[in-house]
Amino acid sequence: MGALEYGESPEKGVIREFHEETGMTISVERLMLAESSPRDRHITLVYLCRIVDGEFKESYEVSEIQYFHVNDLPPILAEEKDLIQKVYKNLYHHELA
């Protein structure tokens, strides 16, 4: 997703960005992971969110939405896959198959 606007909280930023990119409204349930990148100068925040309103609308950033099992992810950056698997492991407290 994108970056925060000046003075914007991370929770409001994820809600805004998701709406801008999909046309859907979400609520933030809880913070799942906060991690400092070992290579880049940024912090990654991963939130558990719930879709509460709207219908998906394609944008120039997102052409479709699909759900994938953590063991069957599409081709993505290795760092992103690692983050997804780390959150899944923390959420369900078990090793991946």
Side-chain angles (χ1 to χ4, degrees):
M1 294 207 142
L4 295 176
E5 293 179 355
Y6 181 77
E8 184 176 50
S9 73
E11 293 84 0
K12 293 221 186 284
V14 74
I15 291 168
R16 175 187 52 76
E17 282 285 337
F18 195 86
H19 187 265
E20 287 175 1
E21 295 176 11
T22 68
M24 301 165 78
T25 303
I26 58 172
S27 66
V28 174
E29 301 291 315
R30 67 183 168 120
L31 179 65
M32 300 295 296
L33 177 73
E35 186 168 279
S36 171
S37 173
R39 290 176 288 212
D40 301 326
R41 294 181 57 164
H42 73 270
I43 296 173
T44 298
L45 303 173
V46 178
Y47 290 97
L48 176 64
C49 298
R50 182 179 311 280
I51 297 171
V52 295
D53 192 33
E55 189 172 309
F56 175 72
K57 294 181 180 104
E58 184 178 328
S59 71
Y60 72 94
E61 293 179 291
V62 180
S63 60
E64 62 183 348
I65 289 181
Q66 294 183 28
Y67 294 94
F68 297 92
H69 187 276
V70 70
N71 291 327
D72 193 27
L73 296 172
I76 57 175
L77 296 173
E79 187 173 287
E80 291 175 346
K81 187 174 185 176
D82 291 346
L83 281 172
I84 292 167
Q85 291 176 336
K86 186 181 290 187
V87 169
Y88 181 84
K89 206 158 81 173
N90 288 342
L91 183 62
Y92 295 104
H93 306 292
H94 58 72
E95 293 297 316
L96 298 172

